[in-house]
Amino acid sequence: MLNRRILRIKAFKTLYGGVLSGNMSLSEAEAQLEISCESARDLYIYMLGIISPLTAFAKDRIEAAKAKFNPTEEERNPNTKFADNALAQLLDADADFQKVFNKKKFSWGQYDLVLKKIFQSISEKDYYKEYMSSEQRSLSEDCALFTRIFEEEMVDCVELENVLEDKSLYWNDDLAYSLTWCCKTLKSLAKGERWSLIPLYQSEMLKGDDVESDKYFVRKLLQASFAGYEKYSAMIAESVSGWEKERLFLTDTVLISMGLAEAVTFPTIPVKVTMNEYVEISKYYGTPKSRSFVNGLLDRLMQKLSDEGQISKEGKGLL
């Protein structure tokens, strides 16, 4: 599930938190990293679990409308296509999914207002109206609908963000990535495949003796960054002017330190790959000027470490 870009971000956040607190041990940082990684898959499970509550909400609305003293013709003969969708029925009947969801003690039961907000938003969209007007009923069509719901209704929903923030410190940052995996799951279910819990690391999804462990990578990256932070941050401070030191942001220092630690620690990862990764991450977690600053200083310090023989790569073209 987790690719190396996401793993680098999680290691960065863990190291940043440790530096900010000033008293985090390596063992505490490793434990926090593990929780952070697992949280992304937990959120994937939790968001996949919203399908049945949204369906149940639609059913309840239909029944409430029927029970009115003087229901309209449409309320007496409602369109139940969404309320009867096959995807919710499939997940409700899937013992493996229900076991994992319940083991985590997840529930949407107390979030009726969030479900209402999302359903109202869905109901106003053209894609939903087209779905409801079509006479076709199939699991494939239901999966396509919920894919649109995941893609268009969840990320910018303030009410949902508040729920996720309340349940986990990690979940808001993981939402977009976890929703991507929800959509991938819906695509496989539409093909008739059964649901199964996805491996936590993408390397576990690949086959071959030459596949490097992503779990090993991120733990080793955190360990090397944690151990070398004092050295690398001192190098950064020595490489900038007095005026720049006053404007040096902790996020940039942590990112550059991690980039140097990765370049030194992993001989099979090309320098250009490491450079590009941390420059990209700086776009989202640094300041508007972080990209050029991280790019320039990381390049300069990597060259310095290479000249000193501290960065050594295996294979041609990796430096």
Side-chain angles (χ1 to χ4, degrees):
M1 177 177 182
L2 301 178
N3 62 32
R4 290 203 172 184
R5 170 70 61 79
I6 298 298
L7 292 174
R8 286 182 174 95
I9 291 173
K10 288 186 173 294
F12 156 69
K13 289 182 176 180
T14 302
L15 180 61
Y16 178 83
V19 173
L20 202 60
S21 70
N23 59 1
M24 182 183 291
S25 67
L26 176 58
S27 60
E28 290 172 332
E30 290 175 328
Q32 185 173 313
L33 176 64
E34 186 173 346
I35 293 171
S36 178
C37 290
E38 188 66 46
S39 72
R41 185 167 61 176
D42 285 348
L43 181 56
Y44 152 80
I45 296 167
Y46 189 65
M47 292 309 301
L48 202 59
I50 200 174
I51 292 171
S52 290
L54 273 176
T55 302
F57 182 84
K59 289 180 178 179
D60 290 343
R61 282 172 63 97
I62 289 173
E63 293 304 316
K66 283 183 178 180
K68 288 182 178 179
F69 178 74
N70 189 24
T72 65
E73 179 62 26
E74 183 179 353
E75 290 171 336
R76 285 195 296 268
N77 298 282
N79 184 344
T80 63
K81 184 175 181 179
F82 180 82
D84 293 335
N85 76 82
L87 179 58
Q89 296 175 35
L90 179 68
L91 290 176
D92 285 344
D94 192 305
D96 292 335
F97 177 73
Q98 293 300 322
K99 180 179 179 180
V100 172
F101 190 85
N102 293 328
K103 185 177 180 179
K104 296 287 183 179
K105 297 182 180 179
F106 289 154
S107 172
W108 286 93
Q110 66 271 46
Y111 300 119
D112 287 345
L113 292 179
V114 177
L115 296 174
K116 179 180 180 181
K117 174 71 174 181
I118 294 173
F119 185 76
Q120 286 178 336
S121 178
I122 295 167
S123 301
E124 296 170 357
K125 301 297 171 61
D126 289 339
Y127 70 81
Y128 177 80
K129 295 174 183 177
E130 291 173 6
Y131 165 86
M132 294 296 285
S133 64
S134 171
E135 294 183 0
Q136 177 186 351
R137 294 200 179 200
S138 68
L139 175 61
S140 177
E141 190 183 20
D142 295 337
C143 288
L145 172 69
F146 274 98
T147 296
R148 291 290 296 272
I149 292 172
F150 283 135
E151 290 175 343
E152 300 186 23
E153 307 297 336
M154 304 298 185
V155 174
D156 295 322
C157 178
V158 175
E159 291 80 4
L160 177 60
E161 289 176 0
N162 292 336
V163 168
L164 299 184
E165 185 176 355
D166 183 59
K167 294 184 74 66
S168 172
L169 294 174
Y170 307 100
W171 274 8
N172 272 333
D173 284 346
D174 285 339
L175 180 58
Y177 191 72
S178 296
L179 289 175
T180 298
W181 279 95
C182 287
C183 294
K184 290 182 179 181
T185 294
L186 297 188
K187 186 176 181 179
S188 68
L189 293 177
K191 294 178 181 178
E193 299 174 16
R194 287 203 58 181
W195 181 86
S196 61
L197 183 62
I198 53 179
L200 184 55
Y201 301 97
Q202 282 200 5
S203 61
E204 297 172 348
M205 305 172 71
L206 304 174
K207 296 180 180 180
D209 296 334
D210 59 340
V211 176
E212 297 180 346
S213 168
D214 288 335
K215 181 177 182 179
Y216 170 81
F217 164 76
V218 72
R219 287 180 65 88
K220 189 71 174 177
L221 175 61
L222 179 64
Q223 291 167 357
S225 302
F226 199 93
Y229 181 76
E230 185 174 340
K231 170 187 172 182
Y232 296 133
S233 60
M235 286 178 60
I236 295 167
E238 291 170 1
S239 301
V240 298
S241 67
W243 179 77
E244 288 176 316
K245 285 181 184 178
E246 296 177 359
R247 300 172 63 87
L248 193 59
F249 290 93
L250 181 59
T251 52
D252 295 346
T253 300
V254 173
L255 282 171
I256 295 170
S257 297
M258 287 194 68
L260 296 175
E262 180 175 317
V264 170
T265 306
F266 298 95
T268 60
I269 300 178
V271 166
K272 288 184 178 180
V273 170
T274 298
M275 280 279 299
N276 291 338
E277 286 295 313
Y278 290 96
V279 170
E280 284 298 311
I281 294 172
S282 72
K283 294 178 184 178
Y284 302 98
Y285 295 96
T287 68
K289 296 183 178 180
S290 288
R291 179 183 179 183
S292 58
F293 180 76
V294 171
N295 182 66
L297 193 52
L298 191 53
D299 182 47
R300 194 192 322 166
L301 293 178
M302 280 185 173
Q303 186 59 56
K304 181 177 185 295
L305 292 178
S306 295
D307 293 342
E308 295 173 354
Q310 295 188 53
I311 294 179
S312 177
K313 298 297 180 178
E314 298 174 0
K316 295 181 179 180
L318 295 187
L319 284 176

